[in-house]
Coordinates of all heavy atoms in Angstrom, one line a residue:
M1 N 0.8 -1.2 0.0 CA 0.0 0.0 0.0 C 0.9 1.2 0.0 O 1.8 1.3 0.8 CB -0.9 0.0 1.2 CG -1.8 1.2 1.3 SD -3.1 1.1 2.6 CE -2.2 1.6 4.0
L2 N 0.6 2.2 -0.9 CA 1.3 3.4 -0.9 C 0.9 4.4 0.2 O -0.2 4.5 0.5 CB 1.1 4.1 -2.3 CG 1.6 3.4 -3.5 CD1 1.3 4.2 -4.7 CD2 3.1 3.1 -3.4
T3 N 1.9 5.0 0.8 CA 1.7 5.9 1.9 C 1.9 7.3 1.5 O 3.0 7.6 0.9 CB 2.6 5.5 3.1 OG1 2.4 4.2 3.5 CG2 2.4 6.4 4.3
S4 N 1.0 8.2 1.8 CA 1.2 9.6 1.5 C 1.6 10.3 2.8 O 1.4 9.9 3.9 CB -0.1 10.2 0.9 OG -1.1 10.3 1.9
F5 N 2.3 11.4 2.6 CA 2.9 12.2 3.7 C 2.4 13.6 3.5 O 2.3 14.2 2.4 CB 4.4 12.2 3.6 CG 5.0 10.8 3.9 CD1 5.2 9.9 2.8 CD2 5.2 10.4 5.2 CE1 5.7 8.7 3.0 CE2 5.7 9.1 5.4 CZ 6.0 8.2 4.3
S6 N 2.1 14.2 4.7 CA 1.7 15.7 4.7 C 3.0 16.5 4.6 O 3.9 16.4 5.4 CB 1.0 16.0 6.0 OG 0.7 17.3 6.1
V7 N 3.1 17.3 3.5 CA 4.3 18.1 3.3 C 4.0 19.5 2.8 O 2.8 19.7 2.4 CB 5.2 17.4 2.2 CG1 5.7 16.0 2.7 CG2 4.4 17.1 0.9
A8 N 5.0 20.3 2.8 CA 4.8 21.7 2.3 C 6.0 21.9 1.3 O 7.1 21.5 1.6 CB 4.9 22.7 3.4
C9 N 5.7 22.4 0.2 CA 6.7 22.7 -0.8 C 7.8 23.6 -0.3 O 7.5 24.7 0.2 CB 6.1 23.2 -2.1 SG 7.4 23.5 -3.4
P10 N 9.1 23.3 -0.4 CA 10.1 24.1 0.2 C 10.7 25.2 -0.8 O 11.5 26.0 -0.5 CB 11.3 23.1 0.5 CG 11.1 22.1 -0.6 CD 9.6 22.0 -0.8
H11 N 10.1 25.2 -2.0 CA 10.7 26.1 -3.1 C 10.2 27.5 -2.8 O 9.1 27.8 -2.4 CB 10.3 25.6 -4.5 CG 10.9 24.3 -4.8 ND1 10.3 23.1 -4.7 CD2 12.2 24.1 -5.2 CE1 11.1 22.1 -5.1 NE2 12.3 22.7 -5.4
D12 N 11.1 28.5 -3.2 CA 10.8 29.9 -3.1 C 9.5 30.2 -3.9 O 9.3 29.6 -5.0 CB 11.9 30.8 -3.6 CG 13.1 30.7 -2.6 OD1 13.0 30.3 -1.4 OD2 14.3 30.9 -3.1
N13 N 8.7 31.1 -3.4 CA 7.5 31.6 -4.1 C 6.5 30.5 -4.4 O 5.7 30.6 -5.3 CB 7.9 32.3 -5.5 CG 8.8 33.4 -5.2 OD1 8.6 34.2 -4.3 ND2 9.8 33.6 -6.1
C14 N 6.5 29.4 -3.6 CA 5.5 28.4 -3.7 C 5.0 28.1 -2.3 O 5.7 27.9 -1.4 CB 6.0 27.1 -4.3 SG 4.7 25.9 -4.6
D15 N 3.7 28.2 -2.1 CA 3.1 28.0 -0.8 C 2.2 26.8 -0.7 O 1.3 26.7 0.2 CB 2.3 29.3 -0.4 CG 1.2 29.6 -1.4 OD1 1.0 28.9 -2.4 OD2 0.5 30.6 -1.1
W16 N 2.4 25.8 -1.6 CA 1.6 24.6 -1.7 C 1.8 23.8 -0.4 O 3.0 23.5 0.0 CB 1.8 23.8 -2.9 CG 0.9 22.6 -3.0 CD1 -0.3 22.6 -3.6 CD2 1.2 21.3 -2.6 NE1 -0.8 21.3 -3.5 CE2 0.1 20.5 -2.9 CE3 2.3 20.7 -1.9 CZ2 0.0 19.2 -2.5 CZ3 2.2 19.4 -1.6 CH2 1.1 18.6 -1.9
T17 N 0.8 23.2 0.2 CA 0.8 22.2 1.2 C -0.2 21.2 0.9 O -1.3 21.5 0.3 CB 0.6 22.8 2.6 OG1 -0.7 23.4 2.6 CG2 1.6 23.8 3.0
G18 N 0.1 19.9 1.3 CA -0.9 18.9 1.0 C -0.2 17.5 1.3 O 0.8 17.4 1.9
N19 N -0.9 16.5 0.7 CA -0.4 15.1 0.9 C 0.2 14.6 -0.4 O -0.5 14.8 -1.5 CB -1.5 14.2 1.4 CG -1.9 14.5 2.8 OD1 -1.0 14.7 3.7 ND2 -3.2 14.6 3.1
L20 N 1.4 14.0 -0.4 CA 2.0 13.4 -1.6 C 2.5 12.0 -1.3 O 2.9 11.7 -0.1 CB 3.2 14.3 -2.0 CG 2.8 15.7 -2.6 CD1 4.1 16.4 -2.9 CD2 2.0 15.6 -3.8
V21 N 2.6 11.2 -2.3 CA 3.2 9.9 -2.2 C 4.6 10.1 -2.8 O 4.8 10.7 -3.9 CB 2.4 8.8 -3.0 CG1 3.2 7.5 -3.0 CG2 1.0 8.7 -2.4
P22 N 5.7 9.6 -2.1 CA 7.0 9.8 -2.6 C 7.4 8.9 -3.8 O 6.6 8.0 -4.1 CB 7.9 9.5 -1.4 CG 7.1 8.5 -0.7 CD 5.6 8.9 -0.9
S23 N 8.5 9.2 -4.4 CA 9.1 8.4 -5.5 C 10.5 8.0 -5.1 O 11.2 8.8 -4.4 CB 9.1 9.2 -6.8 OG 9.8 8.5 -7.8
V24 N 11.0 6.9 -5.6 CA 12.4 6.5 -5.4 C 13.3 7.2 -6.4 O 14.5 7.2 -6.2 CB 12.6 5.0 -5.5 CG1 11.9 4.3 -4.3 CG2 12.1 4.4 -6.8
L25 N 12.7 7.8 -7.4 CA 13.5 8.6 -8.4 C 13.0 10.0 -8.6 O 11.8 10.2 -8.5 CB 13.4 7.9 -9.8 CG 13.9 6.5 -9.9 CD1 13.6 5.9 -11.2 CD2 15.4 6.4 -9.6
Q26 N 13.9 10.9 -8.8 CA 13.5 12.3 -9.1 C 12.5 12.3 -10.3 O 12.9 11.8 -11.4 CB 14.7 13.2 -9.3 CG 14.3 14.7 -9.5 CD 15.5 15.5 -9.6 OE1 16.6 15.1 -9.7 NE2 15.3 16.8 -9.7
G27 N 11.3 12.8 -10.2 CA 10.4 12.9 -11.3 C 9.8 11.6 -11.6 O 9.1 11.5 -12.6
G28 N 10.0 10.5 -10.8 CA 9.5 9.2 -11.1 C 8.1 8.9 -10.6 O 7.5 9.8 -10.1
A29 N 7.7 7.7 -10.8 CA 6.4 7.3 -10.4 C 6.3 7.1 -8.9 O 7.3 6.9 -8.2 CB 6.0 6.0 -11.1
D30 N 5.1 7.2 -8.3 CA 4.9 7.1 -6.9 C 5.3 5.6 -6.5 O 5.2 4.7 -7.3 CB 3.5 7.3 -6.5 CG 3.0 8.7 -6.8 OD1 3.8 9.6 -7.0 OD2 1.7 8.9 -6.9
A31 N 5.9 5.5 -5.3 CA 6.4 4.2 -4.8 C 6.3 4.1 -3.3 O 6.3 5.1 -2.6 CB 7.8 4.0 -5.3
E32 N 6.3 2.9 -2.8 CA 6.4 2.6 -1.4 C 7.8 2.8 -1.0 O 8.7 2.2 -1.7 CB 5.9 1.2 -1.1 CG 5.8 0.9 0.4 CD 4.7 1.8 1.1 OE1 3.7 2.2 0.5 OE2 4.9 2.0 2.3
I33 N 8.1 3.5 0.0 CA 9.5 3.8 0.5 C 9.7 3.2 1.8 O 8.9 3.3 2.7 CB 9.7 5.3 0.6 CG1 9.3 6.1 -0.7 CG2 11.1 5.7 1.0 CD1 10.1 5.7 -1.9
A34 N 10.9 2.5 1.9 CA 11.3 1.9 3.2 C 11.8 2.9 4.1 O 12.4 3.9 3.6 CB 12.3 0.8 2.9
S35 N 11.7 2.7 5.4 CA 12.3 3.7 6.4 C 13.8 3.8 6.1 O 14.5 2.9 5.8 CB 12.0 3.1 7.8 OG 12.5 4.1 8.7
M36 N 14.2 5.1 6.3 CA 15.6 5.5 6.1 C 16.0 5.6 4.6 O 17.2 5.8 4.3 CB 16.6 4.6 6.9 CG 16.4 4.7 8.4 SD 16.7 6.4 9.0 CE 18.4 6.7 8.7
Q37 N 15.1 5.3 3.7 CA 15.5 5.4 2.3 C 15.3 6.8 1.8 O 14.4 7.5 2.2 CB 14.5 4.4 1.5 CG 14.9 4.3 0.0 CD 14.0 3.3 -0.7 OE1 13.1 2.7 -0.1 NE2 14.3 3.1 -1.9
R38 N 16.1 7.3 0.9 CA 16.0 8.6 0.3 C 14.8 8.5 -0.7 O 14.6 7.4 -1.3 CB 17.2 9.0 -0.5 CG 18.3 9.4 0.5 CD 19.5 9.9 -0.2 NE 20.4 10.5 0.8 CZ 21.4 11.3 0.5 NH1 21.5 11.7 -0.8 NH2 22.1 11.8 1.4
A39 N 14.1 9.6 -0.9 CA 13.0 9.7 -1.8 C 12.8 11.1 -2.3 O 13.5 12.0 -1.9 CB 11.7 9.2 -1.0
W40 N 11.9 11.2 -3.3 CA 11.6 12.5 -3.9 C 10.2 12.8 -3.9 O 9.3 11.9 -3.9 CB 12.1 12.5 -5.4 CG 13.5 12.4 -5.6 CD1 14.3 11.2 -5.6 CD2 14.4 13.5 -5.7 NE1 15.6 11.6 -5.8 CE2 15.7 12.9 -5.9 CE3 14.3 14.8 -5.7 CZ2 16.8 13.7 -6.0 CZ3 15.4 15.6 -5.9 CH2 16.7 15.1 -6.1
F41 N 9.8 14.1 -3.7 CA 8.5 14.6 -3.9 C 8.5 15.6 -5.1 O 9.5 16.3 -5.3 CB 8.0 15.3 -2.7 CG 7.7 14.4 -1.5 CD1 8.4 14.4 -0.4 CD2 6.6 13.6 -1.5 CE1 8.1 13.6 0.7 CE2 6.3 12.7 -0.5 CZ 7.1 12.8 0.7
R42 N 7.4 15.7 -5.8 CA 7.2 16.7 -6.8 C 6.0 17.5 -6.5 O 4.9 17.0 -6.3 CB 7.0 16.1 -8.2 CG 6.6 17.1 -9.2 CD 6.8 16.7 -10.6 NE 8.2 16.8 -10.9 CZ 8.7 16.4 -12.1 NH1 7.9 15.9 -13.0 NH2 10.0 16.5 -12.3
C43 N 6.2 18.8 -6.4 CA 5.1 19.8 -6.1 C 4.1 19.8 -7.2 O 4.5 20.1 -8.4 CB 5.6 21.1 -5.8 SG 4.4 22.4 -5.4
P44 N 2.8 19.6 -7.0 CA 1.8 19.7 -8.0 C 1.5 21.1 -8.5 O 1.0 21.3 -9.6 CB 0.5 19.1 -7.4 CG 0.7 19.2 -6.0 CD 2.2 19.2 -5.7
Q45 N 2.0 22.1 -7.7 CA 1.7 23.5 -8.1 C 2.9 24.1 -8.9 O 2.7 24.5 -10.0 CB 1.5 24.4 -6.8 CG 1.3 25.8 -7.1 CD 0.9 26.6 -5.8 OE1 -0.1 26.2 -5.2 NE2 1.6 27.5 -5.5
C46 N 4.1 24.0 -8.4 CA 5.3 24.6 -9.1 C 6.1 23.6 -9.9 O 7.0 24.0 -10.6 CB 6.2 25.4 -8.1 SG 7.2 24.3 -7.1
Q47 N 5.8 22.3 -9.8 CA 6.4 21.2 -10.5 C 7.9 21.1 -10.0 O 8.7 20.4 -10.7 CB 6.4 21.4 -12.0 CG 4.9 21.3 -12.5 CD 4.2 20.0 -12.2 OE1 4.7 18.9 -12.5 NE2 3.1 20.1 -11.5
G48 N 8.3 21.7 -8.9 CA 9.6 21.5 -8.4 C 9.8 20.2 -7.6 O 8.8 19.7 -7.0
D49 N 10.9 19.6 -7.7 CA 11.2 18.4 -7.0 C 12.1 18.7 -5.8 O 12.8 19.6 -5.8 CB 12.0 17.4 -7.9 CG 11.3 16.9 -9.1 OD1 10.1 16.6 -8.9 OD2 11.8 16.7 -10.1
W50 N 11.9 17.9 -4.7 CA 12.8 18.0 -3.6 C 13.1 16.6 -3.0 O 12.2 15.7 -3.0 CB 12.4 19.0 -2.6 CG 11.1 18.7 -1.8 CD1 11.1 18.1 -0.5 CD2 9.8 18.9 -2.1 NE1 9.8 18.0 0.0 CE2 9.0 18.4 -1.0 CE3 9.1 19.4 -3.2 CZ2 7.6 18.5 -1.0 CZ3 7.7 19.5 -3.2 CH2 7.0 19.0 -2.1
E51 N 14.3 16.4 -2.5 CA 14.8 15.1 -2.0 C 14.6 15.1 -0.5 O 14.8 16.1 0.2 CB 16.2 14.9 -2.3 CG 16.7 13.5 -2.0 CD 18.1 13.2 -2.4 OE1 18.8 14.2 -2.8 OE2 18.5 12.1 -2.4
V52 N 14.1 14.0 0.0 CA 13.9 13.8 1.4 C 14.4 12.4 1.9 O 14.7 11.6 1.1 CB 12.3 13.9 1.7 CG1 11.8 15.2 1.3 CG2 11.6 12.7 1.1
R53 N 14.5 12.3 3.2 CA 14.7 11.0 3.8 C 13.5 10.7 4.7 O 13.1 11.6 5.4 CB 16.0 11.0 4.7 CG 16.1 9.7 5.4 CD 17.5 9.3 5.8 NE 18.2 9.2 4.6 CZ 19.5 9.0 4.5 NH1 20.2 8.9 5.6 NH2 20.1 8.8 3.4
I54 N 12.9 9.5 4.6 CA 11.8 9.2 5.3 C 12.2 8.2 6.4 O 12.8 7.1 6.1 CB 10.7 8.6 4.4 CG1 10.2 9.6 3.4 CG2 9.5 8.0 5.3 CD1 9.3 9.2 2.4
T55 N 11.9 8.5 7.7 CA 12.3 7.7 8.8 C 11.0 7.4 9.6 O 10.4 8.4 10.2 CB 13.3 8.4 9.7 OG1 14.4 8.8 8.9 CG2 13.7 7.4 10.8
N56 N 10.5 6.2 9.5 CA 9.2 5.9 10.0 C 8.1 6.8 9.4 O 7.9 6.7 8.2 CB 9.2 5.9 11.6 CG 10.2 4.9 12.2 OD1 10.3 3.8 11.7 ND2 10.9 5.3 13.2
D57 N 7.5 7.6 10.1 CA 6.5 8.5 9.6 C 7.0 10.0 9.5 O 6.2 10.9 9.3 CB 5.2 8.5 10.4 CG 4.5 7.2 10.3 OD1 4.6 6.5 9.2 OD2 3.8 6.8 11.2
R58 N 8.3 10.2 9.6 CA 8.8 11.5 9.6 C 9.6 11.8 8.3 O 10.4 11.0 7.8 CB 9.8 11.7 10.8 CG 10.3 13.1 10.9 CD 11.2 13.2 12.1 NE 11.7 14.6 12.2 CZ 12.7 15.0 12.9 NH1 13.3 14.1 13.6 NH2 13.1 16.2 12.9
V59 N 9.3 13.0 7.7 CA 10.0 13.4 6.5 C 11.0 14.5 6.8 O 10.6 15.5 7.4 CB 8.9 13.9 5.4 CG1 9.6 14.5 4.2 CG2 7.9 12.8 5.1
T60 N 12.2 14.3 6.4 CA 13.3 15.3 6.5 C 13.8 15.7 5.2 O 14.2 14.9 4.4 CB 14.5 14.7 7.3 OG1 14.0 14.2 8.6 CG2 15.5 15.7 7.6
I61 N 13.7 17.0 4.9 CA 14.2 17.5 3.6 C 15.7 17.5 3.6 O 16.4 18.0 4.5 CB 13.7 18.9 3.3 CG1 12.2 19.0 3.3 CG2 14.3 19.5 2.1 CD1 11.6 20.3 3.2
L62 N 16.3 16.9 2.6 CA 17.8 16.9 2.5 C 18.3 18.1 1.8 O 17.6 18.7 0.9 CB 18.2 15.6 1.7 CG 17.8 14.3 2.3 CD1 18.2 13.1 1.4 CD2 18.4 14.1 3.7
P63 N 19.5 18.6 2.2 CA 20.0 19.8 1.5 C 20.4 19.5 0.1 O 20.7 18.4 -0.3 CB 21.3 20.1 2.3 CG 21.6 18.8 3.0 CD 20.3 18.0 3.2
V64 N 20.2 20.6 -0.7 CA 20.6 20.5 -2.2 C 22.1 20.4 -2.3 O 22.8 21.3 -1.7 CB 20.0 21.7 -2.9 CG1 20.4 21.6 -4.4 CG2 18.5 21.7 -2.8
V65 N 22.6 19.5 -3.1 CA 24.0 19.4 -3.3 C 24.3 19.8 -4.7 O 23.7 19.2 -5.7 CB 24.5 17.9 -3.1 CG1 26.0 17.8 -3.4 CG2 24.2 17.5 -1.6
E66 N 25.1 20.9 -4.9 CA 25.4 21.3 -6.2 C 26.5 20.4 -6.8 O 27.5 20.0 -6.1 CB 26.0 22.7 -6.2 CG 25.0 23.8 -5.7 CD 23.8 23.9 -6.7 OE1 24.1 23.8 -7.9 OE2 22.7 24.2 -6.2
R67 N 26.3 19.9 -8.0 CA 27.3 19.0 -8.7 C 28.2 19.9 -9.5 O 27.8 20.8 -10.2 CB 26.5 18.0 -9.6 CG 25.6 17.1 -8.8 CD 24.9 16.2 -9.7 NE 23.8 15.5 -9.0 CZ 23.7 14.2 -8.9 NH1 24.6 13.5 -9.6 NH2 22.8 13.7 -8.3
G68 N 29.5 19.5 -9.4 CA 30.5 20.2 -10.2 C 30.4 19.9 -11.7 O 29.9 18.9 -12.1
V69 N 30.8 20.9 -12.5 CA 30.6 20.7 -13.9 C 31.9 20.3 -14.5 O 33.0 20.6 -14.2 CB 30.1 22.0 -14.6 CG1 29.4 21.6 -15.9 CG2 29.3 22.8 -13.8

């Protein structure tokens, strides 16, 4: 069974809040996530993605890591 989480979009100029089901891939399909696994949410309002870690029923937003070019 897929579990949704109550979240608020962390992106600037977006005030969306609601329930989302996470994905194991950025921009991917909804999926069941195991505790301590990294996951992604996509905001239905601004279409921005953000990475999180889910521990039991708690969602922690992970810091954005800039990749070198």
Side-chain angles (χ1 to χ4, degrees):
M1 177 167 87
L2 296 178
T3 301
S4 67
F5 295 89
S6 179
V7 294
C9 181
H11 293 99
D12 292 337
N13 301 319
C14 186
D15 58 0
W16 183 88
T17 60
N19 292 314
L20 292 174
V21 176
S23 172
V24 292
L25 300 173
Q26 183 176 6
D30 299 343
E32 187 67 26
I33 306 296
S35 184
M36 294 302 293
Q37 186 176 3
R38 287 185 171 200
W40 292 88
F41 287 112
R42 172 164 283 176
C43 177
Q45 181 170 300
C46 74
Q47 298 301 304
D49 292 324
W50 69 96
E51 189 175 11
V52 299
R53 174 155 297 174
I54 297 174
T55 307
N56 298 322
D57 291 333
R58 183 174 180 201
V59 175
T60 304
I61 297 173
L62 298 177
V64 175
V65 176
E66 297 293 330
R67 297 176 191 239
V69 206

